[in-house]
Amino acid sequence: CGSFRLRAQVVGARRTAEELGRAFPAVPVRTSGREHVLDTVPGTPALVVSTPGAEPVAEGGYAAALLLDGWAMLGRPDLRAGEDALRRWIAAGALVRPQGAGGTVVVVAEPTLRPVQALVRWDPVGHAVRELAERAELGFPPVSRMAAVSGTAEAVAEFLGMVELPQEAEVLGPVPVPVAAPGRPRRPGAPPPGEQWERALIRVPPGRGAALAAALKATQAARMARGSGALVRVRIDPPDIG
């Protein structure tokens, strides 16, 4: 835009409400979020700023809904990012009046993305069918059960050498885990800042998840009994497998 000033890409519900209040000084602005969640709002003209999942019900339905920060919701390194975003969008869109009564829903996101197209078509079932087909082709959950084993290269190698996996198990990796920068938010299962970790994925068919979990638990217990100092983190069915 040519400006030399910096602005946060995501400013939060409270900051958004403040900016809208300055833009529309004659219109009441209500917020619903972590500190104070509203159950309902009256049908009188107002702006309602809500965090996902905290949307109050409006008497007579909302005239319009603006779904912000779609890029942030869809860009999370999470296997379920798309379905979670679509679920929240549909829940918010369901609070808006029907189109015949003048209701409008606007989503700020890349229009070609599958969750956005599913929202436009109001087709969560079709989205789920296509998502399941892709996961089946790749062997991702829910068509398989999966575990992630993370730690230093030596610790992961030791763990994989000790564990007695089910016969059907398939080991993917290990591969390096991105190094977490100090002071930055960490993904679940990420290494401590500055440490070099590796991660291996172990996949079994449906119905063998309990056997996989039991084998991993037994190996962790054996390592603790031996006094192995290197930490190994085990997660069952992690959503962030990318």
Side-chain angles (χ1 to χ4, degrees), residues 41-200:
V41 291
T44 54
L47 293 171
V48 179
V49 180
S50 170
T51 56
E55 302 90 347
V57 177
E59 296 180 7
Y62 290 99
L66 176 60
L67 308 175
L68 300 173
D69 301 330
W71 65 270
M73 298 179 69
L74 295 175
R76 292 185 298 117
D78 190 317
L79 185 64
R80 304 186 180 98
E83 63 187 74
D84 284 346
L86 180 59
R87 173 177 56 84
R88 294 185 181 278
W89 290 343
I90 287 182
L95 301 176
V96 179
R97 300 169 190 167
Q99 185 177 9
T104 302
V105 177
V106 178
V107 58
V108 182
E110 170 57 48
T112 60
L113 296 178
R114 181 182 299 167
V116 180
Q117 288 296 310
L119 175 67
V120 172
R121 297 184 176 92
W122 205 256
D123 184 24
V125 175
H127 179 272
V129 170
R130 289 185 289 273
E131 188 77 11
L132 180 60
E134 282 194 358
R135 294 190 193 181
E137 185 176 352
L138 297 171
F140 286 170
V143 299
S144 67
R145 299 299 303 276
M146 190 171 285
V149 178
S150 305
T152 63
E154 296 78 11
V156 172
E158 178 194 23
F159 189 96
L160 295 178
M162 292 178 57
V163 65
E164 297 182 5
L165 296 172
Q167 185 177 358
E168 308 89 344
E170 180 183 5
V171 180
L172 309 175
V175 297
V177 177
V179 178
R184 298 292 299 275
R186 288 194 294 158
R187 295 170 55 178
E195 292 192 14
Q196 295 278 354
W197 275 21
E198 291 187 353
R199 176 173 59 183

